[in-house]
Each structure stands twice: as structure tokens, then as C-alpha cells.
Amino acid sequence: MSIVFVPKKLRGKATVNQETIQRLLDENDQLIRCITEYMQKGRAVECVQYQQILHRNIVYLATIADASPDSAATSSNSTSNDTSASAAAVNGHKGTS
């Protein structure tokens, strides 16, 4: 069973750390493999069940990412710097960020 299924009384009280995130990512990897295998075998019912769990995990991870103040600032700065450098390269100019 997915680690995302937490009893209501415990929701919001668990600390999210790198180990928890990695476990979810590993679980998602396994879910994707199972979904692919069942799709190849034509077993749609099992695919839907695993897709629902995968969806919950992804939404949970997205919620964690949205709530993290560090990731938004770092991601935004990195993206704008990369975009400026790429645009300068395309135009034949050296980037002066």
C-alpha cells in the first residue's frame, strides 16, 4: 500500500524529509513499471488501480514542492539564467547575467 495513505488523525503531522520523498519516487517507479506491464498484457482494470495510486503520489509530491520556499526561488533563478544564456547563444551574443 502507498505511504501516501495516512490516517486522518496523523495527516499534516509527519515530517517530510529526503528519505520520504525518495521512497515515494521509488514507489512511483515501481508503479509505472507495473502499469506498463499490465498494459502490455491487456489488463486495464489493474492499470487503473495503479494509475490512481500513482496520481495520488504525484499530487502529494507536487504539494510538497509547492510548499517548499527554497525550491521555488532556486528553480526560478535557474530558469531565468538558463533562458538568458540560451537566448544569448542563439543570437550570437555573450551572456552578461
Side-chain angles (χ1 to χ4, degrees):
M1 178 172 280
S2 177
I3 62 174
V4 173
F5 298 104
V6 178
K8 287 186 179 184
K9 64 182 179 181
L10 297 177
R11 289 184 188 171
K13 296 181 181 174
T15 57
V16 178
N17 57 28
Q18 188 62 36
E19 181 182 339
T20 303
I21 293 170
Q22 189 58 52
R23 282 180 31 208
L24 276 169
L25 292 172
D26 292 342
E27 181 178 354
N28 288 352
D29 178 62
Q30 187 61 37
L31 286 167
I32 292 168
R33 292 174 192 271
C34 288
I35 291 166
T36 303
E37 181 179 332
Y38 283 129
M39 284 175 62
Q40 290 172 348
K41 293 180 179 180
R43 297 172 67 182
V45 175
E46 289 88 350
C47 284
V48 171
Q49 292 171 342
Y50 286 122
Q51 287 171 339
Q52 289 172 342
I53 296 169
L54 179 63
H55 179 262
R56 287 182 186 156
N57 286 357
I58 292 171
V59 169
Y60 181 71
L61 287 169
T63 303
I64 293 169
D66 287 345
S68 174
D70 294 338
S71 67
T74 304
S75 172
S76 174
N77 290 339
S78 173
T79 303
S80 68
N81 288 342
D82 291 348
T83 304
S84 298
S86 297
V90 168
N91 294 325
H93 301 290
K94 291 185 179 180
T96 56
S97 315

